Protein backbone atom coordinates (compact mmCIF):
# COMPACT_ATOMS: atom_id res chain seq x y z
CA UNK A 1 0.00 0.00 0.00
CA UNK A 2 1.38 3.40 -0.91
CA UNK A 3 0.97 6.42 1.32
CA UNK A 4 -2.26 8.18 0.39
CA UNK A 5 -2.23 11.45 -1.53
CA UNK A 6 -1.82 13.44 1.70
CA UNK A 7 1.28 11.33 2.46
CA UNK A 8 -0.51 10.06 5.55
CA UNK A 9 1.07 7.01 7.15
CA UNK A 10 -0.68 3.67 6.87
CA UNK A 11 -0.05 1.60 10.00
CA UNK A 12 -1.73 -1.79 10.00
CA UNK A 13 -0.39 -4.65 12.14
CA UNK A 14 -2.37 -7.16 10.06
CA UNK A 15 -1.63 -5.74 6.63
CA UNK A 16 0.77 -3.60 4.68
CA UNK A 17 2.08 -0.47 6.33
CA UNK A 18 3.80 2.47 4.79
CA UNK A 19 5.35 5.50 6.44
CA UNK A 20 7.13 8.33 4.68
CA UNK A 21 7.22 10.85 7.51
CA UNK A 22 8.10 9.37 10.89
CA UNK A 23 7.94 12.69 12.72
CA UNK A 24 4.43 13.31 11.55
CA UNK A 25 3.40 9.77 12.49
CA UNK A 26 4.89 10.26 15.95
CA UNK A 27 2.95 13.47 16.46
CA UNK A 28 -0.26 11.85 15.28
CA UNK A 29 -0.04 8.86 17.66
CA UNK A 30 1.79 10.46 20.60
CA UNK A 31 5.04 8.51 20.11
CA UNK A 32 7.98 10.21 21.90
CA UNK A 33 11.09 10.96 19.80
CA UNK A 34 13.91 8.57 20.70
CA UNK A 35 16.64 11.15 20.15
CA UNK A 36 15.50 13.04 23.25
CA UNK A 37 16.41 10.07 25.43
CA UNK A 38 19.41 8.68 23.53
CA UNK A 39 22.06 10.43 25.63
CA UNK A 40 20.72 8.72 28.76
CA UNK A 41 21.30 5.22 27.34
CA UNK A 42 24.76 4.16 28.51
CA UNK A 43 25.49 1.66 25.74
CA UNK A 44 23.08 2.39 22.88
CA UNK A 45 22.57 -0.25 20.21
CA UNK A 46 23.46 0.33 16.57
CA UNK A 47 19.79 0.99 15.77
CA UNK A 48 19.54 3.56 18.54
CA UNK A 49 22.78 5.32 17.53
CA UNK A 50 21.77 5.52 13.88
CA UNK A 51 18.26 6.85 14.51
CA UNK A 52 16.69 3.68 13.10
CA UNK A 53 14.85 3.42 16.38
CA UNK A 54 13.07 6.73 16.09
CA UNK A 55 10.42 6.62 18.79
CA UNK A 56 9.33 5.14 22.09
CA UNK A 57 6.69 5.03 24.75
CA UNK A 58 7.86 5.27 28.37
CA UNK A 59 11.34 4.02 27.51
CA UNK A 60 12.61 6.26 30.35
CA UNK A 61 11.49 3.46 32.71
CA UNK A 62 13.72 0.98 30.91
CA UNK A 63 16.69 3.35 30.81
CA UNK A 64 16.36 3.84 34.56
CA UNK A 65 16.23 0.08 35.14
CA UNK A 66 19.21 -0.54 32.82
CA UNK A 67 21.30 2.18 34.43
CA UNK A 68 20.45 1.09 37.99
CA UNK A 69 20.67 -2.64 37.19
CA UNK A 70 17.15 -3.14 38.50
CA UNK A 71 14.63 -5.64 37.18
CA UNK A 72 13.07 -5.20 33.75
CA UNK A 73 11.89 -7.43 30.94
CA UNK A 74 11.91 -7.55 27.16
CA UNK A 75 9.24 -9.30 25.16
CA UNK A 76 8.98 -9.64 21.43
CA UNK A 77 8.77 -12.46 19.01
CA UNK A 78 8.08 -13.72 15.56
CA UNK A 79 5.05 -14.75 13.56
CA UNK A 80 6.08 -18.15 12.19
CA UNK A 81 5.04 -17.70 8.58
CA UNK A 82 8.36 -18.30 6.82
CA UNK A 83 12.11 -17.83 6.84
CA UNK A 84 13.92 -15.01 8.62
CA UNK A 85 14.32 -11.94 6.43
CA UNK A 86 15.95 -8.57 6.99
CA UNK A 87 12.84 -7.18 8.72
CA UNK A 88 12.58 -10.00 11.28
CA UNK A 89 16.33 -9.79 11.78
CA UNK A 90 15.91 -6.29 13.24
CA UNK A 91 13.55 -7.31 16.04
CA UNK A 92 15.74 -10.34 16.72
CA UNK A 93 18.83 -8.18 17.24
CA UNK A 94 16.90 -5.84 19.52
CA UNK A 95 15.71 -8.65 21.81
CA UNK A 96 19.27 -9.97 22.02
CA UNK A 97 20.56 -6.48 22.82
CA UNK A 98 18.18 -6.16 25.78
CA UNK A 99 18.95 -9.70 26.95
CA UNK A 100 22.64 -8.85 26.94
CA UNK A 101 21.85 -5.72 28.95
CA UNK A 102 20.17 -7.58 31.77
CA UNK A 103 16.54 -7.98 30.71
CA UNK A 104 14.45 -10.94 31.76
CA UNK A 105 13.78 -12.19 28.24
CA UNK A 106 10.55 -13.48 26.70
CA UNK A 107 10.50 -14.73 23.13
CA UNK A 108 7.03 -15.42 21.80
CA UNK A 109 6.28 -17.52 18.74
CA UNK A 110 3.00 -16.03 17.58
CA UNK A 111 1.44 -19.12 16.06
CA UNK A 112 -2.13 -18.07 16.90
CA UNK A 113 -1.58 -14.87 14.93
CA UNK A 114 -0.04 -16.89 12.07
CA UNK A 115 -3.19 -19.02 12.06
CA UNK A 116 -5.67 -16.15 12.29
CA UNK A 117 -3.89 -13.68 10.03
CA UNK A 118 -2.11 -15.95 7.55
CA UNK A 119 -4.11 -19.19 7.82
CA UNK A 120 -1.01 -21.22 8.66
CA UNK A 121 -1.99 -24.52 10.34
CA UNK A 122 -0.39 -25.10 13.74
CA UNK A 123 1.46 -28.18 12.52
CA UNK A 124 3.17 -26.15 9.83
CA UNK A 125 3.93 -23.16 12.07
CA UNK A 126 5.41 -25.62 14.58
CA UNK A 127 7.97 -26.67 11.95
CA UNK A 128 8.68 -23.07 10.96
CA UNK A 129 9.10 -22.15 14.65
CA UNK A 130 12.01 -24.61 14.97
CA UNK A 131 13.76 -22.98 12.01
CA UNK A 132 13.08 -19.46 13.29
CA UNK A 133 14.35 -20.33 16.75
CA UNK A 134 17.53 -21.86 15.32
CA UNK A 135 18.13 -18.51 13.59
CA UNK A 136 17.62 -16.69 16.89
CA UNK A 137 20.09 -18.95 18.66
CA UNK A 138 22.63 -18.48 15.87
CA UNK A 139 22.24 -14.71 16.23
CA UNK A 140 23.06 -14.93 19.94
CA UNK A 141 19.85 -15.44 21.97
CA UNK A 142 20.77 -17.34 25.13
CA UNK A 143 17.99 -19.94 25.57
CA UNK A 144 19.03 -20.64 29.17
CA UNK A 145 18.18 -17.06 30.08
CA UNK A 146 14.98 -16.71 28.07
CA UNK A 147 11.40 -17.84 28.32
CA UNK A 148 10.54 -19.13 24.86
CA UNK A 149 7.01 -20.24 24.07
CA UNK A 150 4.37 -20.75 21.43
CA UNK A 151 1.14 -18.81 22.01
CA UNK A 152 -1.01 -21.86 21.34
CA UNK A 153 0.76 -23.83 24.11
CA UNK A 154 0.96 -21.10 26.75
CA UNK A 155 -2.21 -21.34 28.80
CA UNK A 156 -1.36 -18.31 30.95
CA UNK A 157 -1.39 -16.09 27.87
CA UNK A 158 -4.71 -17.51 26.72
CA UNK A 159 -6.24 -17.22 30.20
CA UNK A 160 -5.04 -13.65 30.45
CA UNK A 161 -6.55 -12.82 27.05
CA UNK A 162 -9.85 -14.21 28.26
CA UNK A 163 -9.84 -11.98 31.34
CA UNK A 164 -8.58 -8.90 29.49
CA UNK A 165 -11.34 -9.19 26.90
CA UNK A 166 -14.18 -8.69 29.38
CA UNK A 167 -14.42 -4.87 29.35
CA UNK A 168 -13.43 -4.44 25.69
CA UNK A 169 -16.22 -3.46 23.34
CA UNK A 170 -16.45 -4.07 19.62
CA UNK A 171 -16.35 -0.30 19.11
CA UNK A 172 -12.90 -0.15 20.79
CA UNK A 173 -11.55 -2.92 18.57
CA UNK A 174 -12.94 -1.24 15.45
CA UNK A 175 -11.48 2.11 16.47
CA UNK A 176 -7.99 0.61 16.81
CA UNK A 177 -7.94 -2.14 14.19
CA UNK A 178 -10.77 -1.25 11.80
CA UNK A 179 -13.45 -3.72 10.73
CA UNK A 180 -11.84 -7.19 11.03
CA UNK A 181 -12.67 -10.84 11.43
CA UNK A 182 -13.32 -11.88 15.03
CA UNK A 183 -10.24 -14.14 14.85
CA UNK A 184 -8.01 -11.10 14.39
CA UNK A 185 -9.57 -9.31 17.36
CA UNK A 186 -8.97 -12.49 19.34
CA UNK A 187 -5.38 -12.53 18.14
CA UNK A 188 -4.97 -8.91 19.33
CA UNK A 189 -6.22 -9.93 22.79
CA UNK A 190 -3.74 -12.82 22.81
CA UNK A 191 -0.97 -10.36 21.95
CA UNK A 192 -2.02 -8.22 24.91
CA UNK A 193 -1.70 -11.40 27.00
CA UNK A 194 1.83 -11.94 25.61
CA UNK A 195 2.90 -8.39 26.37
CA UNK A 196 1.64 -8.54 29.95
CA UNK A 197 2.87 -12.10 30.64
CA UNK A 198 6.24 -10.95 32.11
CA UNK A 199 4.33 -9.04 34.78
CA UNK A 200 2.45 -12.03 36.18
CA UNK A 201 3.33 -13.21 39.67
CA UNK A 202 4.92 -16.42 38.30
CA UNK A 203 7.51 -14.27 36.54
CA UNK A 204 8.24 -11.95 39.44
CA UNK A 205 5.23 -9.60 39.18
CA UNK A 206 4.89 -6.08 37.77
CA UNK A 207 8.00 -4.61 36.21
CA UNK A 208 8.96 -2.30 33.34
CA UNK A 209 8.70 -4.34 30.14
CA UNK A 210 9.97 -3.15 26.79
CA UNK A 211 8.51 -4.38 23.52
CA UNK A 212 10.84 -3.55 20.61
CA UNK A 213 8.84 -3.55 17.39
CA UNK A 214 8.44 -2.05 13.95
CA UNK A 215 6.11 0.94 14.05
CA UNK A 216 3.45 -1.09 12.21
CA UNK A 217 2.86 -2.92 15.51
CA UNK A 218 2.02 0.22 17.48
CA UNK A 219 -1.76 -0.46 17.52
CA UNK A 220 -1.05 -3.57 19.66
CA UNK A 221 0.95 -1.44 22.09
CA UNK A 222 -1.69 1.27 22.33
CA UNK A 223 -4.33 -1.37 22.92
CA UNK A 224 -2.30 -3.24 25.56
CA UNK A 225 -1.34 -0.07 27.43
CA UNK A 226 -5.02 0.81 27.63
CA UNK A 227 -5.93 -2.70 28.82
CA UNK A 228 -3.07 -2.69 31.37
CA UNK A 229 -4.54 0.44 32.91
CA UNK A 230 -8.01 -1.13 33.10
CA UNK A 231 -6.53 -4.06 35.03
CA UNK A 232 -4.04 -2.08 37.09
CA UNK A 233 -5.91 -2.71 40.35
CA UNK A 234 -6.28 -6.44 39.80
CA UNK A 235 -2.74 -7.22 38.61
CA UNK A 236 -0.72 -4.08 39.42
CA UNK A 237 0.39 -3.85 35.78
CA UNK A 238 2.81 -1.14 34.70
CA UNK A 239 1.90 0.02 31.15
CA UNK A 240 4.34 -1.68 28.76
CA UNK A 241 7.09 0.45 27.20
CA UNK A 242 8.05 0.22 23.56
CA UNK A 243 10.65 1.21 21.03
CA UNK A 244 9.79 1.68 17.37
CA UNK A 245 12.13 1.02 14.52
CA UNK A 246 11.73 2.28 11.00
CA UNK A 247 10.47 -0.14 8.36
CA UNK A 248 12.94 -1.29 5.73
CA UNK A 249 12.12 -0.63 2.10
CA UNK A 250 11.81 -3.41 -0.45
CA UNK A 251 14.74 -3.93 -2.83
CA UNK A 252 12.58 -2.34 -5.56
CA UNK A 253 12.38 0.86 -3.51
CA UNK A 254 8.74 0.34 -2.48
CA UNK A 255 7.88 1.27 1.11
CA UNK A 256 7.83 -2.26 2.54
CA UNK A 257 9.22 -5.70 1.81
CA UNK A 258 6.49 -7.91 0.44
CA UNK A 259 6.32 -11.55 -0.58
CA UNK A 260 3.97 -10.71 -3.41
CA UNK A 261 6.41 -8.23 -4.94
CA UNK A 262 9.42 -10.54 -4.38
CA UNK A 263 11.36 -7.47 -3.29
CA UNK A 264 13.39 -8.96 -0.45
CA UNK A 265 15.47 -12.01 0.38
CA UNK A 266 15.57 -14.33 3.34
CA UNK A 267 18.59 -15.69 5.19
CA UNK A 268 17.92 -19.05 3.54
CA UNK A 269 17.48 -18.12 -0.09
CA UNK A 270 19.93 -19.50 -2.62
CA UNK A 271 23.13 -17.50 -2.96
CA UNK A 272 22.24 -16.79 -6.61
CA UNK A 273 18.80 -15.41 -5.64
CA UNK A 274 20.31 -13.10 -3.04
CA UNK A 275 23.00 -11.86 -5.42
CA UNK A 276 20.37 -11.26 -8.13
CA UNK A 277 18.05 -9.35 -5.77
CA UNK A 278 20.91 -7.03 -4.84
CA UNK A 279 22.15 -6.67 -8.37
CA UNK A 280 18.65 -5.80 -9.68
CA UNK A 281 17.74 -3.55 -6.75
CA UNK A 282 16.51 -0.01 -7.20
CA UNK A 283 19.08 2.59 -6.10
CA UNK A 284 19.34 6.29 -5.45
CA UNK A 285 21.78 6.52 -8.36
CA UNK A 286 21.52 8.69 -11.49
CA UNK A 287 20.71 7.69 -15.05
CA UNK A 288 24.33 7.76 -16.23
CA UNK A 289 27.76 7.42 -14.64
CA UNK A 290 28.58 10.94 -15.77
CA UNK A 291 25.52 12.39 -14.05
CA UNK A 292 26.26 10.44 -10.91
CA UNK A 293 29.84 11.70 -10.83
CA UNK A 294 28.53 15.26 -11.25
CA UNK A 295 25.43 15.23 -9.02
CA UNK A 296 26.10 12.38 -6.61
CA UNK A 297 23.60 9.72 -5.54
CA UNK A 298 20.67 9.95 -3.11
CA UNK A 299 21.34 7.45 -0.29
CA UNK A 300 18.16 8.53 1.53
CA UNK A 301 15.99 6.70 -1.01
CA UNK A 302 18.36 3.80 -1.69
CA UNK A 303 17.59 0.22 -0.49
CA UNK A 304 21.27 -0.77 -0.90
CA UNK A 305 22.28 2.01 1.46
CA UNK A 306 19.57 0.81 3.86
CA UNK A 307 20.84 -2.77 3.81
CA UNK A 308 24.27 -1.52 4.86
CA UNK A 309 22.85 0.88 7.44
CA UNK A 310 20.46 -1.60 9.08
CA UNK A 311 22.52 -4.76 8.93
CA UNK A 312 25.77 -5.17 7.12
CA UNK A 313 28.12 -2.30 8.01
CA UNK A 314 28.71 -2.27 11.76
CA UNK A 315 31.26 0.50 11.85
CA UNK A 316 29.67 3.97 12.12
CA UNK A 317 32.63 5.73 10.49
CA UNK A 318 32.55 3.35 7.52
CA UNK A 319 28.82 4.09 7.19
CA UNK A 320 29.43 7.84 7.19
CA UNK A 321 32.06 7.36 4.52
CA UNK A 322 29.60 5.47 2.30
CA UNK A 323 27.07 8.28 2.72
CA UNK A 324 29.54 11.03 1.89
CA UNK A 325 31.10 9.17 -1.02
CA UNK A 326 27.67 8.47 -2.48
CA UNK A 327 26.60 12.11 -2.15
CA UNK A 328 29.87 13.28 -3.69
CA UNK A 329 29.53 10.95 -6.68
CA UNK A 330 32.70 9.11 -5.72
CA UNK A 331 30.90 5.82 -5.10
CA UNK A 332 29.01 4.31 -8.02
CA UNK A 333 26.04 2.01 -7.69
CA UNK A 334 27.52 -0.96 -9.58
CA UNK A 335 30.60 -0.94 -7.41
CA UNK A 336 28.56 -0.48 -4.23
CA UNK A 337 26.18 -3.30 -5.13
CA UNK A 338 29.15 -5.65 -5.57
CA UNK A 339 30.60 -4.63 -2.19
CA UNK A 340 27.22 -5.11 -0.53
CA UNK A 341 26.67 -8.52 -2.13
CA UNK A 342 30.03 -9.58 -0.75
CA UNK A 343 29.15 -8.41 2.77
CA UNK A 344 25.71 -10.02 2.70
CA UNK A 345 26.95 -13.37 1.42
CA UNK A 346 29.78 -13.49 3.96
CA UNK A 347 27.31 -12.82 6.80
CA UNK A 348 24.86 -15.39 5.49
CA UNK A 349 27.48 -18.10 5.02
CA UNK A 350 28.71 -17.64 8.60
CA UNK A 351 25.16 -17.52 9.95
CA UNK A 352 24.16 -20.72 8.16
CA UNK A 353 27.18 -22.60 9.52
CA UNK A 354 26.30 -21.60 13.10
CA UNK A 355 22.63 -22.32 12.59
CA UNK A 356 23.14 -25.81 11.15
CA UNK A 357 24.48 -26.90 14.55
CA UNK A 358 21.57 -25.36 16.43
CA UNK A 359 18.52 -27.03 14.90
CA UNK A 360 18.57 -29.83 17.50
CA UNK A 361 18.98 -27.27 20.26
CA UNK A 362 15.96 -25.33 18.94
CA UNK A 363 13.86 -28.53 18.94
CA UNK A 364 14.98 -29.30 22.46
CA UNK A 365 14.20 -25.78 23.74
CA UNK A 366 10.69 -25.80 22.26
CA UNK A 367 10.03 -29.27 23.65
CA UNK A 368 11.37 -28.24 27.05
CA UNK A 369 9.21 -25.12 27.14
CA UNK A 370 6.16 -27.16 26.04
CA UNK A 371 6.74 -29.58 28.90
CA UNK A 372 6.96 -26.79 31.47
CA UNK A 373 3.37 -25.71 30.80
S1 LIG B 1 26.22 4.59 -4.56
FE1 LIG B 1 25.33 3.10 -3.16
S2 LIG B 1 24.21 4.27 -1.65
FE2 LIG B 1 24.61 5.62 -3.37
S3 LIG B 1 22.78 5.47 -4.61
FE3 LIG B 1 24.25 4.00 -5.42
S4 LIG B 1 23.81 2.06 -4.43
FE4 LIG B 1 22.78 3.72 -3.28
Amino acid sequence: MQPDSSNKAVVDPFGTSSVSDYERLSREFGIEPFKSILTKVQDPSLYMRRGLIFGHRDFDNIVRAMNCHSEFAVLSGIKPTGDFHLGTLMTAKEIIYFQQHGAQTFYCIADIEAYEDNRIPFEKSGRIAIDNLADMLALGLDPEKAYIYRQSRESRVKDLALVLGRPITLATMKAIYGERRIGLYLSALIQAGDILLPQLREFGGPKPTVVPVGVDQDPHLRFTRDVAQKFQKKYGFTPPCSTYHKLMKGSDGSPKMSKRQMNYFTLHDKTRTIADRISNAFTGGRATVREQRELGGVPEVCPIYEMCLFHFVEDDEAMTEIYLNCRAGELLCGEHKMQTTDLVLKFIEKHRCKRANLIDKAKEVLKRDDEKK
Side-chain angles (χ1 to χ4, degrees):
M1 203 182 299
Q2 297 293 329
D4 67 21
S5 52
S6 62
N7 243 0
K8 209 165 181 280
V10 180
V11 175
D12 179 359
F14 299 124
T16 306
S17 300
S18 126
V19 183
S20 54
D21 185 340
Y22 284 95
E23 280 185 21
R24 180 172 165 179
L25 175 84
S26 300
R27 281 196 303 277
E28 201 175 322
F29 290 105
I31 294 173
E32 295 292 322
F34 197 85
K35 59 182 176 220
S36 62
I37 203 173
L38 180 62
T39 51
K40 295 186 190 152
V41 185
Q42 286 176 358
D43 178 27
S45 69
L46 178 145
Y47 296 140
M48 293 173 185
R49 292 196 314 268
R50 293 185 180 175
L52 300 175
I53 291 178
F54 70 94
H56 73 96
R57 291 190 195 274
D58 285 351
F59 192 67
D60 323 52
N61 296 340
I62 300 298
V63 173
R64 218 169 294 124
M66 280 165 79
N67 292 350
C68 303
H69 305 286
S70 60
E71 194 186 25
F72 74 104
V74 60
L75 177 135
S76 202
I78 191 165
K79 187 161 64 160
T81 55
D83 287 336
F84 250 64
H85 53 71
L86 300 186
T88 38
L89 191 55
M90 271 194 92
T91 315
K93 288 179 181 172
E94 288 173 63
I95 300 170
I96 293 165
Y97 165 84
F98 286 112
Q99 183 181 52
Q100 291 172 348
H101 286 75
Q104 192 182 350
T105 302
F106 293 76
Y107 185 64
C108 158
I109 293 158
D111 58 351
I112 294 183
E113 193 183 348
Y115 176 76
E116 295 295 352
D117 192 15
N118 306 80
R119 301 170 191 227
I120 303 215
F122 290 102
E123 202 177 276
K124 185 173 174 191
S125 60
R127 287 195 298 273
I128 298 173
I130 294 168
D131 283 339
N132 290 165
L133 183 56
D135 282 306
M136 278 303 287
L137 302 181
L139 290 165
L141 182 78
D142 180 350
E144 308 311 325
K145 293 186 186 153
Y147 185 67
I148 298 164
Y149 66 94
R150 273 172 275 181
Q151 287 175 326
S152 65
R153 309 290 178 96
E154 176 45 81
S155 53
R156 283 164 293 205
V157 164
K158 289 186 282 190
D159 290 349
L160 201 48
L162 214 69
V163 174
L164 302 179
R166 189 179 45 78
I168 309 299
T169 64
L170 196 56
T172 302
M173 296 312 264
K174 277 188 188 168
I176 298 177
Y177 296 103
E179 180 93 33
R180 300 287 181 164
R181 284 177 285 110
I182 291 293
L184 290 179
Y185 292 151
L186 176 67
S187 162
L189 271 169
I190 298 270
Q191 290 239 6
D194 289 322
I195 294 171
L196 295 171
L197 181 73
Q199 299 200 50
L200 291 185
R201 216 176 19 215
E202 297 93 302
F203 295 103
K207 66 180 74 63
T209 302
V210 60
V211 187
V213 283
V215 69
D216 52 339
Q217 300 300 306
D218 183 48
H220 291 316
L221 265 303
R222 277 187 276 134
F223 176 57
T224 308
R225 283 167 63 85
D226 186 36
V227 168
Q229 250 150 14
K230 286 192 167 66
F231 285 86
Q232 207 281 333
K233 261 199 185 144
K234 185 173 166 64
Y235 293 98
F237 289 142
T238 303
C241 319
S242 46
T243 58
Y244 300 106
H245 58 246
K246 293 182 178 174
L247 306 174
M248 282 188 80
K249 294 184 198 48
S251 59
D252 57 357
S254 56
K256 200 177 174 190
M257 294 180 282
S258 126
K259 240 180 209 168
R260 204 153 21 99
Q261 287 165 258
M262 302 290 282
N263 63 1
Y264 71 105
F265 55 83
T266 77
L267 301 192
H268 306 296
D269 279 334
K270 290 193 180 106
T271 303
R272 188 70 262 158
T273 307
I274 296 172
D276 284 349
R277 289 273 147 82
I278 298 175
S279 157
N280 297 326
F282 171 81
T283 70
R286 307 285 174 178
T288 64
V289 170
R290 194 169 154 197
E291 261 184 59
Q292 188 149 347
R293 290 266 184 234
E294 277 172 21
L295 302 171
V298 187
E300 288 81 357
V301 301
C302 179
I304 299 292
Y305 179 76
E306 253 193 10
M307 280 179 211
C308 297
L309 187 70
F310 279 71
H311 292 296
F312 300 108
V313 176
E314 297 256 326
D315 185 86
D316 289 345
E317 276 178 29
M319 209 52 238
T320 307
E321 207 172 304
I322 290 173
Y323 180 86
L324 294 174
N325 287 346
C326 170
R327 293 302 302 242
E330 283 164 20
L331 181 63
L332 296 179
C333 298
E335 178 194 355
H336 192 201
K337 280 181 169 177
M338 280 193 325
Q339 289 168 4
T340 305
T341 306
D342 206 36
L343 288 174
V344 173
L345 294 182
K346 270 194 191 131
F347 166 82
I348 283 185
E349 196 189 333
K350 214 165 136 196
H351 176 76
R352 285 179 188 168
C353 284
K354 278 196 222 160
R355 183 186 180 277
N357 298 320
L358 289 163
I359 291 280
D360 287 344
K361 182 72 186 169
K363 285 183 189 161
E364 183 199 312
V365 169
L366 281 177
K367 198 159 167 254
R368 181 186 73 190
D369 279 286
D370 272 354
E371 281 162 4
K372 270 193 212 154
K373 284 150 213 156

